[in-house]
Amino acid sequence: MHLHKEIASIVGPTYCNGQTLVEQVAYSLSDKIYSYGTEEQELDVSVQAWVKGEQKSASGSMPSFSRMQTRSGAASMILGNIFARDAKLITKSSPATILATSSSLIAMKPVLDQLSLLYSSATPLVAHVSSLDLSPITSNYVSDYTRALAISREGGYAVISSTSAHEVQHMALFATIVSSELPTIHAYDGVRLAREDTRVVDVLDQNALRQAYTAVLQNQASIAKKADTTERVAKLLHNMNTELGTEYGLFEYFGAKNASTVFVVFGSPEAAIAKLVAQQLAAAGESVGVVNVRVYRPFAEEVFLSVLPQSTTRVAVLGQVYDSDDVLDSSATSILYSDVLGALAMSDEWASKRPTVIDVKYTREMQWRASTMATAMKLLTTQNEIDITSLEGNC
């Protein structure tokens, strides 16, 4: 791991991992940072170094930093720290940031639920969640998105996904911006994206982050007050794209223009591999495409349906579940499948087309590779059910 001891050194083309960029955004834009993880999980290595060196945030102040134990009740101190006694202070406060792993969300859930219920009286809160948990089956770390999605569905948190180290800084920024509207979780792969060093181009420095953050929030005033949360989040993403010159979408489609089979994915490894494979198969004449779910909550049903090709007859949802029992249980569905099925069923247009919707469940231990993804895509163009574990062993 390449440690940037000076936060000012993170700019332009640079060599680092995704976690460093997440910490840079948190340190630059937050006035309070809480870390819930072990030393081994390396959630706050850079933050600790910057605090020790008394380095400033983008606003010129020193963020407060608290390292908490990952146990039930430890997160309760957040409640007293982010609720403003004076409602006028809420709009003036910098967001508070939580650095956490998927595994720590269990202990934090009671506090996160309370924050969601009382959010109108709280300073903005964003949780950058490294989707990292220790598998009891393999005794290795795995990427776990199930807990973030579950908390979102139950507690009303926005969930935003990064698919690569090259976009994790932008999504960390966007999640911080969205926290001005509702509590937000930024989920990203904790196994490789967060830990493996890579060369990232066009990295924003502290000043650029602050300028983008401020500009987008200033433009927020132009959003109609009667607009619902989904519309407001979509407008915030549009404003950020305008500011940065990017083209992120709530849902992003890749593959054949007239695909008959479309795969819906959420999660860093899955989305990155699925996008690559779908584009390769489409170039070879296969009628397949992929929808990457960038913003899972709020789930913009109309936007999701708008990116589906009109030629779609089969929708295969790659949905992560906790363990093999969930895979084998025919009554249990993945969280993502429920939203996709609901969006299609509630649309008069798509309900009349009656596309086949398939729940392709896989466990957290699943290691997606290009060969595995390609085989699954080819099989699911004609089959309604496949054994993902057998594909993993044969590819």
Side-chain angles (χ1 to χ4, degrees):
M1 174 183 176
H2 178 71
L3 177 62
H4 287 261
K5 294 183 178 180
E6 298 293 330
I7 193 170
S9 68
I10 303 177
V11 61
T14 191
Y15 194 71
C16 64
N17 57 35
Q19 187 63 37
T20 299
L21 294 176
V22 169
E23 292 178 64
Q24 180 223 18
V25 173
Y27 199 90
S28 298
L29 302 179
S30 300
D31 60 0
K32 300 181 182 69
I33 302 174
Y34 307 92
S35 177
Y36 291 83
T38 64
E39 290 284 351
E40 182 184 23
Q41 293 168 338
E42 299 180 340
L43 294 178
D44 52 25
V45 175
S46 297
V47 167
Q48 289 191 64
W50 300 331
V51 169
K52 185 177 181 180
E54 298 184 350
Q55 297 179 45
K56 305 295 185 181
S57 69
S59 63
S61 61
M62 269 280 296
S64 68
F65 172 65
S66 303
R67 206 164 199 280
M68 313 300 297
Q69 296 180 357
T70 53
R71 59 176 175 79
S72 179
S76 297
M77 71 168 290
I78 297 179
L79 292 175
N81 287 345
I82 75 166
F83 284 105
R85 297 180 180 179
D86 184 350
K88 295 180 180 179
L89 295 177
I90 295 173
T91 57
K92 299 180 180 180
S93 300
S94 298
T97 293
I98 296 174
L99 303 174
T101 63
S102 296
S103 55
S104 63
L105 289 179
I106 298 176
M108 295 173 61
K109 188 177 184 303
V111 169
L112 294 176
D113 288 344
Q114 291 183 62
L115 288 172
S116 178
L117 291 172
L118 303 171
Y119 200 65
S120 61
S121 300
T123 54
L125 174 72
V126 57
H128 298 293
V129 178
S130 173
S131 298
L132 189 71
D133 196 7
L134 191 64
S135 168
I137 299 173
T138 65
S139 297
N140 294 322
Y141 280 118
V142 294
S143 283
D144 175 17
Y145 297 96
T146 61
R147 293 191 174 109
L149 296 184
I151 285 179
S152 170
R153 183 174 63 176
E154 298 168 8
Y157 279 70
V159 176
I160 296 163
S161 173
S162 291
T163 62
S164 71
H166 299 280
E167 64 187 36
V168 71
Q169 186 192 45
H170 291 167
M171 289 302 104
L173 169 62
F174 179 56
T176 307
I177 292 170
V178 172
S179 72
S180 65
E181 293 287 338
L182 69 165
T184 304
I185 292 175
H186 169 219
Y188 52 96
D189 172 37
V191 177
R192 300 190 63 179
L193 186 158
R195 294 180 160 212
E196 295 182 358
D197 287 346
T198 188
R199 186 174 184 270
V200 184
V201 299
D202 298 328
V203 174
L204 303 174
D205 64 12
Q206 282 188 293
N207 289 334
L209 285 171
R210 186 69 183 179
Q211 289 173 8
Y213 175 76
T214 303
V216 174
L217 289 186
Q218 287 176 343
N219 290 331
Q220 187 179 21
S222 65
I223 304 175
K225 293 183 179 180
K226 294 183 179 180
D228 62 22
T229 302
T230 301
E231 292 177 296
R232 297 179 72 82
V233 171
K235 184 63 175 178
L236 288 173
L237 182 57
H238 171 77
N239 290 343
M240 190 188 79
N241 281 332
T242 300
E243 187 69 23
L244 299 181
T246 50
E247 298 181 346
Y248 296 114
L250 302 180
F251 301 91
E252 298 159 351
Y253 179 80
F254 308 95
K257 292 182 178 180
N258 297 312
S260 57
T261 302
V262 174
F263 297 82
V264 183
V265 298
F266 179 92
S268 302
E270 296 89 331
I273 295 173
K275 171 185 173 181
L276 175 65
V277 171
Q279 290 175 324
Q280 291 177 340
L281 291 177
E286 297 283 349
S287 183
V288 298
V290 165
V291 174
N292 171 41
V293 180
R294 171 76 61 189
V295 179
Y296 169 69
R297 278 286 191 275
F299 196 89
E301 295 183 356
E302 292 184 4
V303 179
F304 167 70
L305 296 175
S306 70
V307 303
L308 285 179
Q310 291 296 309
S311 53
T312 303
T313 58
R314 300 168 68 83
V315 179
V317 182
L318 301 186
Q320 188 185 75
V321 293
Y322 187 75
D323 56 27
S324 58
D325 289 341
D326 292 327
V327 172
L328 297 173
D329 185 354
S330 59
S331 65
T333 61
S334 65
I335 296 175
L336 183 58
Y337 171 79
S338 300
D339 287 284
V340 171
L341 183 63
L344 291 166
M346 294 300 292
S347 165
D348 292 338
E349 177 186 359
W350 285 96
S352 63
K353 292 181 179 181
R354 302 184 67 178
T356 301
V357 186
I358 308 165
D359 191 10
V360 186
K361 297 184 291 185
Y362 61 94
T363 67
R364 305 176 308 158
E365 288 75 24
M366 176 69 186
Q367 296 291 318
W368 285 104
R369 299 181 177 84
S371 57
T372 312
M373 186 68 73
T375 302
M377 286 186 173
K378 291 179 179 179
L379 290 175
L380 286 165
T381 58
T382 58
Q383 299 181 24
N384 291 344
E385 185 176 350
I386 61 173
D387 183 356
I388 289 291
T389 56
S390 67
L391 297 184
E392 186 178 16
N394 294 329
C395 294

